[in-house]
Amino acid sequence: MRSLHSSSATAAPAVIVIFGAAGDLTKRKLIPALFNLEAQNLLPSQIAMVGIDRVAMNSDTYRQTMGSDMASYVGNGFEQNLWDDNVDKVYYMPGDFRDPDSYQQLKTLLLEVDNEQGTPGNYLFYLATPPSFFGIIASELARAGLNEESEGHWRRIIIEKPFGSDLQSARALNAALHESFEEHQIYRIDHYLGKETVQNMMAYRFGNGTVEPIWNYRYIDHVQITVAESLGVEDRASYYEEAGALRDMIANHLLAVLSIVAMEPPNSFDADAIRDEQTKVLKAIEPFSPQRVLTDTVRGQYGEAVLDNTQHLHAYRDEPGIASDSKTETYVALRLKINSWRWAGVPFYLRTGKRMHDRYSEVVIQYKHAPNMMFRGALKRHKNVEPDRLVLRIQPNEGISMQFNAKVPGTEFKMSQVLMDFDYDDYFEESNTASGYETLIYDCLCGDATLFKRADNIEVCWEFLQPILDVWKSLPPRDFPNYPAGSNGPEEADDLLARDGFHWKN
Ligand SMILES: NC(=O)c1ccc[n+]([C@@H]2O[C@H](COP(=O)([O-])OP(=O)(O)OC[C@H]3O[C@@H](n4cnc5c(N)ncnc54)[C@H](OP(=O)(O)O)[C@@H]3O)[C@@H](O)[C@H]2O)c1
């Protein structure tokens, strides 16, 4: 549950100020993550949390409200005693994010908290708010002087995705943040980067002598990155109608995973050394011409379906809050090329979708066949022999497996594919119930930005995606819905790989 260079020392003392303290993210993820960090002795005794939201409450009622839900959000690891012992470190202040007076009140409250809790004036501002408030809150914090660092203390700001909705808005957001905070103070969170396997990809690639030599075009045939969700749009209709799968998932999680899979080895595990390499490889993705948007992207929207003759799944257009003629994509598949020596000629296929058959996220590295197939006879007679595949599972059952070919015991020479499987839960005693937020909040408190996105990284992603947004906007889809709920996505996505002689690993 740590980033690459965090030690097991406790984090720095600070007050964590959460804007949007009565919201969904705060109660489901942030406070449980703080609880888990406390349970693992990773927080110092001088730590406190101040919540701000427009709901009228005082600190006592806020503590009760959050406490009543904590057992269900933390799960098995919840200890009532630990909550009770620490609950007086939680404060609440009603306020409006747009109102400058709220920031003056916050400043006064923070001084009181510092006095009561012995916190030394370090403030971490967590913006768990709709994105339209990011610029306003940053600028009001600055107006109140709450952005100012001195040698004695630091000020940091965490913002949640989405980081813009296209290239122009992403640039505008970065510019607005930079008016009030310096880049080293800004932590853009993508909780996928806090997941064990995502971090383990770096450990696997750069911590083992056998991996890197064959991690290139000479040995790798192609790469598949899948983030499949079995749920539909749930209660996020108004956000999702505007966003769609390309903005919601590809712009963040999938390009982040791609950058770790494809980046060059950094010179060190310094945050900027890693983020330089991630940005460099994202810049090397071949830009999409309008023609390539037509040939190398697939968008889809789920239609209704009946699963196992019993479970009726609604079409996206029939979900609450969704327009009956919605053109929003709930599925995307892309075929990318990376113009570098390492990846010359290696296609990368990315896909993500809602209401897919299963919920899973994984990276599949498909290796080339052995150069001289002396077992061709065995291959012909037993068609199930496939190329070797390395699968990095991000969720569920985080782990790594290798599929390779072995001889079937017996007098006849038959070959069959076998699986060598490493499962995190089997191997390590530490249980991994973390959501990713634990790692990221801890790292931010420690000033370690390795797993957070830098401004240039965000803009490079949007530079790549902008032509797709433009072409899709000018050519609205005519075949939606084009995949049944509970399936593996539209047929066109299968064709995308079939054209190259491949198929998705489902
Ligand atoms: N929820 C998740 O699992 C999740 C996951 C990844 C990223 N995110 C991101 O995290 C952020 C927060 O998401 P969320 O789901 O927690 O949103 P949310 O439930 O709407 O929480 C936002 C909170 O801010 C309050 N608020 C809105 N305007 C305000 C104002 N002017 N002054 C004071 N309070 C105000 C809201 O009050 P009202 O309810 O009265 O509007 C609400 O309590 C978003 O950027 C989202 O994209 C969320």
Side-chain angles (χ1 to χ4, degrees):
M1 228 178 59
R2 345 301 308 276
S3 83
L4 290 161
H5 45 228
S6 300
S7 69
S8 54
T10 53
V15 183
I16 301 162
V17 181
I18 302 184
F19 289 84
D24 181 64
L25 182 71
T26 303
K27 73 174 170 233
R28 282 196 312 115
K29 303 286 183 190
L30 304 186
I31 298 187
L34 289 172
F35 179 88
N36 286 336
L37 286 173
E38 178 65 34
Q40 292 170 61
N41 296 319
L42 290 171
L43 295 181
S45 53
Q46 300 106 315
I47 197 93
M49 187 210 119
V50 171
I52 305 181
D53 205 291
R54 59 180 160 202
V55 183
M57 276 189 276
N58 59 27
S59 293
D60 282 338
T61 37
Y62 185 72
R63 289 166 187 167
Q64 280 160 21
T65 312
M66 288 297 144
S68 61
D69 287 337
M70 233 7 73
S72 63
Y73 291 126
V74 172
N76 290 343
F78 184 72
E79 297 164 49
Q80 189 63 48
N81 289 346
L82 191 64
W83 175 264
D84 294 341
D85 290 348
N86 286 282
V87 77
D88 63 349
K89 295 177 178 171
V90 176
Y91 297 77
Y92 180 82
M93 191 197 105
D96 189 319
F97 305 153
R98 290 196 189 87
D99 178 10
D101 286 348
S102 297
Y103 297 82
Q104 292 305 328
Q105 286 165 30
L106 174 64
K107 205 171 168 179
T108 309
L109 176 60
L110 285 171
L111 290 176
E112 282 168 29
V113 174
D114 283 340
N115 266 337
E116 281 179 26
Q117 303 290 344
T119 40
N122 295 332
Y123 304 143
L124 164 54
F125 302 105
Y126 199 123
L127 275 47
T129 71
S132 52
F133 286 111
F134 294 165
I136 298 168
I137 295 174
S139 105
E140 289 299 335
L141 285 169
R143 208 137 70 103
L146 286 166
N147 60 340
E148 287 163 16
E149 295 189 309
S150 72
E151 279 182 22
H153 58 245
W154 49 255
R155 306 285 155 88
R156 295 176 190 146
I157 185 165
I158 291 186
I159 65 165
E160 274 284 343
K161 73 162 188 128
F163 313 111
S165 55
D166 57 15
L167 180 56
Q168 194 187 5
S169 58
R171 284 182 177 153
L173 174 61
N174 280 336
L177 292 171
H178 287 152
E179 275 178 22
S180 312
F181 285 83
E182 293 188 30
E183 181 61 26
H184 77 266
Q185 296 175 282
I186 305 170
Y187 289 69
R188 297 174 193 79
I189 212 162
D190 178 346
H191 69 272
Y192 245 62
L193 294 183
K195 290 197 176 287
E196 281 297 323
T197 313
V198 174
Q199 295 176 63
N200 193 39
M201 273 188 237
M202 281 195 259
Y204 181 75
R205 282 194 59 190
F206 306 128
N208 296 297
T210 53
V211 178
E212 264 311 285
I214 58 166
W215 202 264
N216 58 50
Y217 73 95
R218 290 189 188 87
Y219 301 94
I220 294 178
D221 210 21
H222 73 272
V223 177
Q224 300 179 15
I225 302 177
T226 299
V227 177
E229 299 176 281
S230 53
L231 293 176
V233 68
E234 303 296 292
D235 54 2
R236 297 171 71 213
S238 63
Y239 160 74
Y240 201 81
E241 272 285 83
E242 291 297 312
L246 190 77
R247 291 184 170 96
D248 186 44
M249 299 298 283
I250 303 274
N252 304 291
H253 306 327
L254 279 95
L255 289 180
V257 172
L258 171 79
S259 69
I260 293 174
V261 171
M263 72 182 182
E264 293 301 314
N267 291 339
S268 72
F269 274 127
D270 173 68
D272 275 329
I274 293 176
R275 297 189 301 176
D276 284 348
E277 294 305 336
Q278 288 176 319
T279 304
K280 213 159 87 187
V281 76
L282 291 168
K283 274 189 185 154
I285 300 175
E286 191 171 284
F288 272 19
S289 63
Q291 181 57 34
R292 268 199 62 209
V293 174
L294 300 180
T295 56
D296 288 8
T297 73
V298 173
R299 56 188 152 160
Q301 187 189 77
Y302 60 86
E304 69 175 337
V306 177
L307 288 191
D308 305 326
N309 288 326
T310 53
Q311 198 188 351
H312 180 249
L313 300 177
H314 292 297
Y316 177 72
R317 289 176 177 181
D318 295 333
E319 304 268 23
I322 304 295
S324 57
D325 60 348
S326 171
K327 306 271 188 284
T328 301
E329 80 284 354
T330 60
Y331 178 99
V332 178
L334 306 177
R335 177 184 188 276
L336 313 180
K337 295 178 202 162
I338 296 177
N339 288 332
S340 69
W341 278 46
R342 180 184 290 272
W343 296 117
V346 179
F348 283 72
Y349 303 97
L350 274 52
R351 66 173 166 168
T352 181
K354 288 200 175 292
R355 275 279 182 247
M356 303 276 285
H357 187 263
D358 289 308
R359 171 182 173 264
Y360 67 100
S361 303
E362 65 182 24
V363 178
V364 177
I365 309 289
Q366 181 153 319
Y367 287 96
K368 294 184 175 174
H369 277 293
N372 177 18
M373 280 308 255
M374 54 192 262
F375 303 119
R376 208 173 291 281
L379 275 176
K380 262 191 194 152
R381 272 179 288 145
H382 309 285
K383 286 185 184 154
N384 59 344
V385 179
E386 297 234 354
D388 298 349
R389 275 191 186 139
L390 176 77
V391 180
L392 305 162
R393 287 192 308 276
I394 298 169
Q395 66 183 18
N397 310 326
E398 300 184 309
I400 299 176
S401 59
M402 182 79 198
Q403 294 172 15
F404 58 98
N405 297 306
K407 182 186 171 298
V408 178
T411 47
E412 195 185 358
F413 199 98
K414 278 193 200 172
M415 285 174 74
S416 178
Q417 199 165 48
V418 296
L419 188 71
M420 205 159 64
D421 203 15
F422 153 68
D423 199 298
Y424 261 85
D425 289 345
D426 291 345
Y427 214 82
F428 291 109
E429 279 176 14
E430 293 90 339
S431 70
N432 178 29
T433 51
S435 59
Y437 282 97
E438 287 83 354
T439 309
L440 295 165
I441 293 173
Y442 175 84
D443 281 2
C444 184
L445 288 168
C446 295
D448 179 351
T450 311
L451 299 175
F452 296 84
K453 298 192 167 192
R454 220 169 45 186
D456 56 345
N457 180 290
I458 302 287
E459 291 182 21
V460 169
C461 290
W462 285 115
E463 276 165 23
F464 165 64
L465 296 174
Q466 192 61 49
I468 306 177
L469 292 172
D470 293 342
V471 172
W472 282 6
K473 191 174 172 197
S474 61
L475 295 174
R478 282 179 294 185
D479 59 347
F480 279 7
N482 60 350
Y483 70 99
S487 71
N488 285 317
E491 279 174 18
E492 292 89 327
D494 295 338
D495 299 341
L496 193 70
L497 272 72
R499 280 195 333 240
D500 298 336
F502 306 133
H503 57 85
W504 292 108
K505 177 189 166 294
N506 286 322

